[in-house]
Amino acid sequence: MRFTKYFGATVCYGYLYDVDWINGQLSKSTNPKRPGQESEWFERGWTLQELLAPRHMEFYDRNWTYMGTKKSLAPILESKTGIGQTYLTGTANFKTASVATKMSWMAGRTTTMVEDIAYSMPGLLNITTEIRYGEGINAFMRLQRTLIDNSTEESIFAWSTPPAGLSCYRSLGHVPKFESREWGLIAPSPDCFSRFKDIVLLPNLHVPRLSGGYKWGQQGVTFQTSAVPSAELRNIWGFPRSKVTMPLNCWRYGSDGEAHGVILELVKMGKESTFRRVQCDVLGQKKGAKPKNNRSGGAD
């Protein structure tokens, strides 16, 4: 895998073929097809692993003028990529970032082969996936299924419909559109995470789940809820009892400095304990939510 090669390299080089480095500043792209835009390198899907995997990286402009290292250029790189400086400098390990945060870094990027939006991410998510060119945008759905099969991290469900549409797929020549009934629990594109790079995981806060959390089954994703369902699925005041909210094991800090709970709005389907996500244009948040500490160290 490319990711492993980059990680194991003594030094990697970033060549930005379409910009000039002038007095400590990057010019706009010199590519006549990109007037007034940033370097093409900053919107490539493969850039994420090229930037995050190497432990030491040097950058050069189109004339091979030395620009600096990943660490010295961290403020500029953060402004161009949305990746926090702590991850770029190695102060924090990017592997500790939530899935939602990592997905947000991919939002808005593009690749020549549409499947590469998904195929460029396994190293960042610490999983492996089979390459199947020809499957189109289903590659990203399969990537998420693989992640669900190998993780109990719940921020993968912390997304909403993107204001700018599914721009990651613009290499198709058209942007796929989904009807309202087609939006569900699994995001169709990394663009859906564009507004949620601030989603965090807090080990000292925990929504209890049985049997390790959730799993992918024949009827979709099954959450192993607690013995007392009302502890997790709460009726929305003023709505039919078939409409409930479910908190996720991920959080966002509010302006008050508190960790606010992230919630999904669900509606019951039929008589079974099966629910469908609704209001996919909004990611719910419960102000001041303070789940009980998980003193046992994990779910049963």
Side-chain angles (χ1 to χ4, degrees), residues 57-259:
M57 188 172 185
E58 297 179 356
F59 288 86
Y60 296 82
D61 74 359
R62 65 174 183 150
N63 299 310
W64 285 100
T65 301
Y66 177 71
M67 296 164 52
T69 66
K70 178 168 64 172
K71 187 173 183 178
S72 68
L73 296 173
I76 293 176
L77 293 172
E78 179 183 34
S79 69
K80 307 296 185 184
T81 66
I83 302 173
Q85 292 185 48
T86 55
Y87 298 120
L88 295 170
T89 61
T91 304
N93 189 335
F94 74 86
K95 293 183 179 180
T96 64
S98 70
V99 169
T101 296
K102 294 173 184 175
M103 293 292 190
S104 76
W105 297 338
M106 181 61 78
R109 298 181 181 278
T110 189
T111 52
T112 302
M113 301 295 291
V114 70
E115 295 90 347
D116 284 337
I117 288 294
Y119 300 161
S120 62
M121 293 200 72
L124 303 175
L125 299 170
N126 198 32
I127 59 175
T128 58
T129 186
E130 182 183 352
I131 304 299
R132 301 177 188 172
Y133 285 112
E135 65 180 327
I137 64 176
N138 288 329
F140 184 67
M141 307 298 279
R142 187 164 59 83
L143 175 79
Q144 292 178 94
R145 176 165 183 171
T146 301
L147 187 58
I148 289 172
D149 287 341
N150 291 275
S151 171
T152 57
E153 215 262 60
E154 297 182 13
S155 74
I156 190 174
F157 306 114
W159 60 271
S160 68
T161 52
L166 307 183
S167 61
C168 276
Y169 299 140
R170 57 188 178 277
S171 63
L172 289 172
H174 68 282
V175 177
K177 294 183 178 181
F178 287 74
E179 299 295 333
S180 59
R181 66 180 181 275
E182 295 178 299
W183 298 96
L185 195 60
I186 306 299
S189 162
D191 298 303
C192 299
F193 297 87
S194 61
R195 294 177 288 178
F196 305 112
K197 69 177 181 180
D198 59 343
I199 296 287
V200 297
L201 308 175
L202 299 175
N204 63 315
L205 297 179
H206 185 74
V207 178
R209 308 278 191 224
L210 298 179
S211 303
Y214 59 84
K215 62 181 180 180
W216 191 291
Q218 292 183 345
Q219 296 182 331
V221 178
T222 300
F223 279 82
Q224 305 298 318
T225 59
S226 63
V228 184
S230 61
E232 296 189 41
L233 301 179
R234 300 187 182 279
N235 179 238
I236 301 176
W237 181 259
F239 286 84
R241 292 190 61 81
S242 61
K243 193 171 184 180
V244 299
T245 62
M246 184 180 74
L248 296 175
N249 271 306
C250 55
W251 326 91
R252 304 179 82 180
Y253 282 105
S255 58
D256 56 6
E258 289 191 51

Side-chain angles (χ1 to χ4, degrees), residues 237-286:
W237 181 259
F239 286 84
R241 292 190 61 81
S242 61
K243 193 171 184 180
V244 299
T245 62
M246 184 180 74
L248 296 175
N249 271 306
C250 55
W251 326 91
R252 304 179 82 180
Y253 282 105
S255 58
D256 56 6
E258 289 191 51
H260 296 179
V262 176
I263 60 175
L264 299 181
E265 294 189 14
L266 309 173
V267 63
K268 192 171 184 179
M269 301 174 61
K271 297 181 179 180
E272 301 295 328
S273 297
T274 303
F275 296 82
R276 176 172 58 87
R277 184 182 175 188
V278 293
Q279 300 294 329
C280 293
D281 58 332
V282 176
L283 183 62
Q285 185 170 311
K286 189 172 182 181

Side-chain angles (χ1 to χ4, degrees), residues 6 8-13 54-58:
Y6 296 148
T10 302
V11 59
C12 288
Y13 301 96
R55 285 169 286 186
H56 181 71
M57 188 172 185
E58 297 179 356

